Amino acid sequence: MKPVFAVPRRALGGTRLQVSVLGFGTAPLGDLYVQLDDGTAIDTVKRAFELGINLLDTSPLYGNGLAEHRCGAAIRRVPRQDIVVCTKVGRWTDPFRGRGDRSGFVGGLPHQAVVDYSYDGTMRSVEQSLLRLGVDRLDLLLIYDVDVWTHGVDAIDERFREAMTGAYVALDRLRAEGVVAGIGIGVNEAEMCVRFAQAGSFDTMLLAGRYSLLEQPALTKFLPLAQQQGIGVLLGGVFNSGILATGAVSGAKYNYRDAPPEILARVARIESICDAHGVALPTAALHFALGHPAVASVVLGGQSPQEVERNVAALSCDVPAVLWADLKAERLLAAEAPVPLPVAG
């Protein structure tokens, strides 16, 4: 497979994997908020591969398995060794129940996602994912959504215990057997990344929304710990669920809700500095996220081939160093945040 544009690649932690600095997130392929036809969904994944993206991030949660099915159709069109397939555990799908809570997925398969971090539940989830994807091995497996955002304060300690005594043991075994090249977690909170990193041996962690141009809570503890332990960091939610892509417009979303006035005001100030340097806000957000040395890849979703093309094109845009200096001078960016280097550098 010869990509049209060679997206740069970075080593993922201590694994043997080299991942593109831009990964493709497949939540939209599970009919997140909008229903897609199969042709468009599969063409979007194919376009990502053609443009040099080799990291495919999916989950049984996305459309209750629909995203994995669509990914499987796209995967069969390229050499398996050319791509890095990442999926998640913590839920398996029950075909004998209704859809239940769709979590924003308006379409998807008529199956229900069952939260289960046990050893047996994890193995069941992995087996189902292998069948849906049509592969005999996976590259990365992540324990998914063990965070307060998903389960609440009262349940998080028990969920963490379940994950470490069940899912982690299962994934550690699969790693030792060579079924998977690396294991990790995927969560919405930097604090949970620290907690897991201190409790087990993980190769990678996918953190959503906690290290972005808007806010950097992961900068204090988690990212230095990841560097110390050799954990390859994948970042999701670098647009904070929308506002860093749309700007401070009416109805802009921040963490999946309408952005409050103080967030709108802060983003407007950030955007004005970006505009002064001729850089689009989402381009600055993408480049900033790739600037930390612990970060291997930023995972962005897409609903169409054109959307993937725009994301890849943003990688080649120049972002002047003075932009970051101006943001820090205005206290809109943490003073200790690493200044991004050119992506290909």
Side-chain angles (χ1 to χ4, degrees), residues 7-313:
V7 176
R9 296 184 180 181
R10 295 177 180 176
L12 183 65
T15 72
R16 56 177 173 74
L17 301 172
Q18 294 279 328
V19 296
S20 51
V21 297
L22 188 62
F24 182 70
T26 64
L29 273 57
D31 292 343
L32 182 63
Y33 305 131
V34 177
Q35 283 190 277
L36 297 181
D37 64 88
D38 285 340
T40 299
I42 294 167
D43 285 346
T44 303
V45 183
K46 287 171 55 184
R47 190 58 178 149
F49 292 156
E50 289 170 356
L51 292 174
I53 295 173
N54 78 329
L55 174 60
L56 185 69
D57 175 68
T58 190
S59 168
L61 174 65
Y62 303 158
N64 296 334
L66 179 60
E68 287 188 327
H69 271 296
R70 287 169 162 171
C71 287
I75 288 170
R76 287 190 289 277
R77 298 160 196 244
V78 299
R80 174 65 181 87
Q81 68 271 15
D82 287 356
I83 58 174
V84 175
V85 179
C86 173
T87 193
K88 306 177 182 78
V89 302
R91 296 176 179 89
W92 52 270
T93 54
D94 188 341
F96 300 107
R97 304 191 200 181
R99 285 187 175 90
D101 177 15
R102 300 187 190 183
S103 301
F105 295 96
V106 298
L109 301 181
H111 305 157
Q112 185 172 138
V114 180
V115 175
D116 188 346
Y117 294 105
S118 70
Y119 182 95
D120 289 343
T122 297
M123 289 300 198
R124 185 174 188 176
S125 175
V126 172
E127 181 178 2
Q128 289 182 343
S129 289
L130 288 168
L131 290 169
R132 283 190 291 261
L133 290 163
V135 296
D136 59 359
R137 64 177 175 82
L138 297 162
D139 298 296
L140 300 171
L141 275 173
L142 309 181
I143 305 171
Y144 198 34
D145 280 350
V146 184
D147 50 35
V148 175
W149 173 270
T150 305
H151 301 291
V153 175
D154 294 339
I156 190 59
D157 287 343
E158 179 60 20
R159 288 301 192 192
F160 179 78
R161 185 197 66 77
E162 291 171 0
M164 285 305 302
T165 59
Y168 174 73
V169 175
L171 296 195
D172 191 40
R173 173 186 168 183
L174 292 173
R175 178 174 56 183
E177 293 175 348
V179 176
V180 63
I183 66 172
I185 66 164
V187 294
N188 298 285
E189 294 146 9
E191 297 82 2
M192 291 307 302
C193 289
V194 172
R195 188 171 180 180
F196 273 103
Q198 293 173 338
S201 173
F202 294 95
D203 304 294
T204 186
M205 293 189 177
L206 172 58
L207 176 62
R210 304 281 72 84
Y211 190 73
S212 73
L213 189 60
L214 178 59
E215 53 193 12
Q216 303 89 45
L219 189 58
T220 305
K221 291 184 179 180
F222 170 56
L223 291 175
L225 181 61
Q227 284 185 275
Q228 178 185 340
Q229 294 191 0
I231 296 171
V233 177
L234 309 176
L235 290 180
V238 297
F239 299 144
N240 288 105
S241 81
I243 194 166
L244 290 181
T246 64
V249 298
S250 176
K253 300 298 182 184
Y254 166 71
N255 291 351
Y256 307 101
R257 298 182 176 89
D258 288 341
E262 64 274 14
I263 294 296
L264 288 168
R266 184 177 180 87
V267 171
R269 293 176 63 199
I270 294 172
E271 189 168 17
S272 68
I273 292 176
C274 291
D275 289 343
H277 293 287
V279 178
L281 177 62
T283 296
L286 174 59
H287 281 252
F288 173 75
L290 287 168
H292 197 287
V295 175
S297 182
V298 169
V299 178
L300 297 182
Q303 293 180 331
S304 69
Q306 294 75 26
E307 194 170 345
V308 177
E309 290 167 2
R310 287 196 299 270
N311 291 337
V312 171

Side-chain angles (χ1 to χ4, degrees), residues 310-330:
R310 287 196 299 270
N311 291 337
V312 171
L315 286 175
S316 61
C317 294
D318 291 326
V319 180
V322 68
L323 184 150
W324 314 118
D326 286 352
L327 288 173
K328 291 185 178 185
E330 293 295 321

